[in-house]
Amino acid sequence: MPDLSEVVRLPVRRIELDLSFEDAARIAEDLRGHVPGIAAEAVRRIEERLPEFVRPHDPRYARAVLLGVECAIGHFLELMADPGASSAEVVEFWRQIGAGEASEGRTLDAWQAATRIGTGLAVEQLTGCAERLGHRMSPADIAAIANAALDYLNQVAVFVAEGHADAAARAEGTRQEHRRRLLELLLGEASERDLHDAAREADWALPRTVAAVALREHGPDTRHPALPPDVLLGLHLAEPCLVVPDPEGPGRARMLERHLHGWTAAIGPAVAPAEAATSLRPAREALELARQGLITAASPVVAERHMPLIVMMRERVLVEKVIRRRLAPLLRARPAQRYRLAETLLTCLECGFNATEVSGRLHLHPQTVRYRLRQLEDLFGDDLYMTSDRLELHMALHAWLALNAEPAAARDDVNYG
């Protein structure tokens, strides 16, 4: 991709005027001295009809508008007198006008409306002035001048649009560079002052909270996500990610669901901007666990909802040792029984061994739950109801179930399974 921060020099092209009738050159010469007055009148008409062009506190802008109108009328008369006259300086002038509009964040709609108003008045004034100077202007001559003026305006509009697009592309390239640097600062170690300065350069309002989103493409044809402009993109990184401002705001979660099709995503917790790296770490860990199939939630995965598993999997070797020790009785059960017994025991711990509540959670008949509890009592004995190490048992069951997940269709949930 080309560096948009570099100025792309466009080839100079001519502005051509298709206007030829008797005495055209002499009329143009006689009208030159009237250009400033006609231009001033055109500006008054523009300001009257387009109030947004009136900037009483910016005299430079008023002078620029007047200069632009004078340039257009003067160059039009120059081409009317000599169709071979140079256009190079005028073309560059109009490109700079377009660039100036882009640099101030304006579209060309108002400029185009202003030029239409100015062109109409200029034709009216030029033809009227020519007649007062003694030139006979037939209806055909007036129509020819009007058509030529509109054609001139269309050619000028092309150069203004080129300047506008070029400047907008350069500004967007610079903005993206600033935003990449801001993203790197957010995910690294930066002071509050550095973040504020970088956010200002990137034209990014520093929010109260942010969340990092870890991403993985589904395949080589994955499309670039179309996200709101306040989301910082880190798609260029070896491990792609996003930084989302105000992640707990209205509609933010739905926005990510809607725009991240083709990506597997995991959202880290909301943190202060200076702590964005602490949001990215669990997001990346959750994404990896989802890749391994240990987290089966739909994308985007919310890391906070899986923090016990994320924390435990950081020390997987230790966790597996605890599983072998703490769940040894369960692991002696027949393979076909282990998963449903572990699932039942975990739910019993969470429901205080209330069979009715457990049956509702697991969508089983209460008698099925009681039957499984008797099986668990046979395996664990009195240790099943001990409270001193219940947290360890709870964590071990969570980890074992994640590491041994099986499709729901494969589970035998009939009455006394």
Side-chain angles (χ1 to χ4, degrees):
M1 180 180 291
D3 184 355
L4 297 179
S5 65
E6 295 180 0
V7 176
V8 179
R9 303 302 300 176
L10 295 168
V12 174
R13 300 194 299 277
R14 289 180 48 78
I15 297 178
E16 297 180 350
L17 201 64
D18 183 15
L19 180 63
S20 60
F21 60 88
E22 189 177 354
D23 292 336
R26 189 161 59 87
I27 292 173
E29 291 294 339
D30 289 347
L31 290 173
R32 285 183 186 276
H34 297 269
V35 169
I38 295 174
E41 180 61 27
V43 170
R44 282 194 292 273
R45 179 76 62 85
I46 291 169
E47 291 178 342
E48 177 185 319
R49 295 189 181 180
L50 294 175
E52 59 266 34
F53 268 75
V54 179
R55 299 185 186 179
H57 302 299
D58 189 359
R60 292 178 303 170
Y61 185 76
R63 287 196 298 271
V65 173
L66 180 60
L67 178 62
V69 176
E70 284 189 8
C71 174
I73 298 173
H75 188 237
F76 179 84
L77 292 177
E78 186 178 357
L79 291 176
M80 186 173 167
D82 178 12
S86 172
S87 301
E89 291 185 7
V90 174
V91 166
E92 185 58 29
F93 171 83
W94 288 114
R95 283 184 178 138
Q96 291 301 320
I97 291 293
E101 293 294 290
S103 68
E104 295 192 20
R106 292 193 297 271
T107 67
L108 294 179
D109 294 344
W111 179 86
Q112 290 169 344
T115 54
R116 287 193 292 270
I117 293 170
T119 300
L121 184 134
V123 170
E124 176 188 324
Q125 292 288 318
L126 287 172
T127 54
C129 188
E131 289 184 335
R132 288 193 294 275
L133 291 172
H135 296 286
R136 288 188 175 183
M137 301 292 294
S138 69
D141 293 339
I142 295 173
I145 290 175
N147 287 332
L150 292 173
D151 183 55
Y152 181 90
L153 173 62
N154 290 335
Q155 293 180 70
V156 164
V158 170
F159 297 116
V160 173
E162 286 177 353
H164 190 279
D166 185 37
R170 292 199 307 272
E172 181 60 21
T174 301
R175 177 173 171 271
Q176 290 303 325
E177 285 301 316
H178 284 314
R179 292 203 165 193
R180 284 190 178 191
R181 169 168 165 70
L182 173 60
L183 179 76
E184 291 168 2
L185 288 174
L186 286 166
L187 299 180
E189 295 182 2
S191 67
E192 291 281 353
R193 181 173 180 178
D194 287 343
L195 286 179
H196 278 281
D197 291 345
R200 185 177 62 255
E201 288 182 345
D203 189 26
W204 193 73
L206 205 62
R208 185 179 60 84
T209 60
V210 299
V213 180
L215 298 173
R216 179 175 287 111
E217 295 175 279
H218 286 178
D221 297 329
T222 301
R223 294 183 180 181
H224 191 294
L227 294 160
D230 62 344
V231 175
L232 298 180
L233 305 180
L235 303 180
H236 61 290
L237 300 175
E239 296 180 90
C241 66
L242 311 171
V243 171
V244 180
D246 298 319
E248 296 170 325
R252 300 302 268 177
R254 183 62 182 271
M255 174 271 294
L256 291 173
E257 291 176 11
R258 187 168 60 250
H259 292 296
L260 290 178
H261 291 300
W263 297 82
T264 302
I267 306 171
V271 296
E275 300 170 355
T278 66
S279 178
L280 182 58
R281 280 194 293 272
R284 283 180 169 162
E285 290 172 316
L287 187 66
E288 175 59 19
L289 294 179
R291 185 192 69 79
Q292 296 175 23
L294 301 182
I295 292 177
T296 57
S299 180
V301 174
V302 179
E304 280 186 283
R305 297 175 185 169
H306 303 277
M307 287 308 295
L309 184 61
I310 291 171
V311 172
M312 286 188 291
M313 288 300 107
R314 288 174 184 169
E315 298 292 342
R316 184 158 174 171
V317 173
L318 178 60
V319 167
E320 289 176 347
K321 287 184 176 181
V322 172
I323 287 173
R324 286 195 295 272
R325 175 176 56 80
R326 195 65 186 83
L327 300 185
L330 177 70
L331 300 180
R332 289 196 294 269
R334 289 186 292 108
Q337 293 179 309
R338 289 174 193 165
Y339 191 94
R340 59 176 178 264
L341 287 176
E343 186 178 48
T344 302
L345 178 53
L346 177 63
T347 309
C348 284
L349 292 173
E350 294 174 348
C351 297
F353 289 90
N354 183 311
T356 302
E357 188 174 346
V358 172
S359 68
R361 288 269 296 272
L362 295 180
H363 306 291
L364 297 173
H365 193 282
Q367 191 63 18
T368 301
V369 174
R370 295 186 183 96
Y371 175 74
R372 290 186 183 178
L373 266 175
R374 287 194 294 272
Q375 290 180 296
L376 288 166
E377 288 169 351
D378 290 341
L379 292 170
F380 285 89
D382 293 340
D383 290 346
L384 185 67
Y385 298 102
M386 288 181 61
T387 59
S388 58
D389 57 356
R390 186 165 290 180
L391 176 60
E392 183 184 59
L393 177 60
H394 190 273
M395 293 176 65
L397 286 165
H398 256 301
W400 188 88
L401 285 166
L403 292 169
N404 294 274
E406 62 182 41
R411 300 176 198 166
D412 183 7
D413 284 339
V414 294
N415 288 340
Y416 296 101

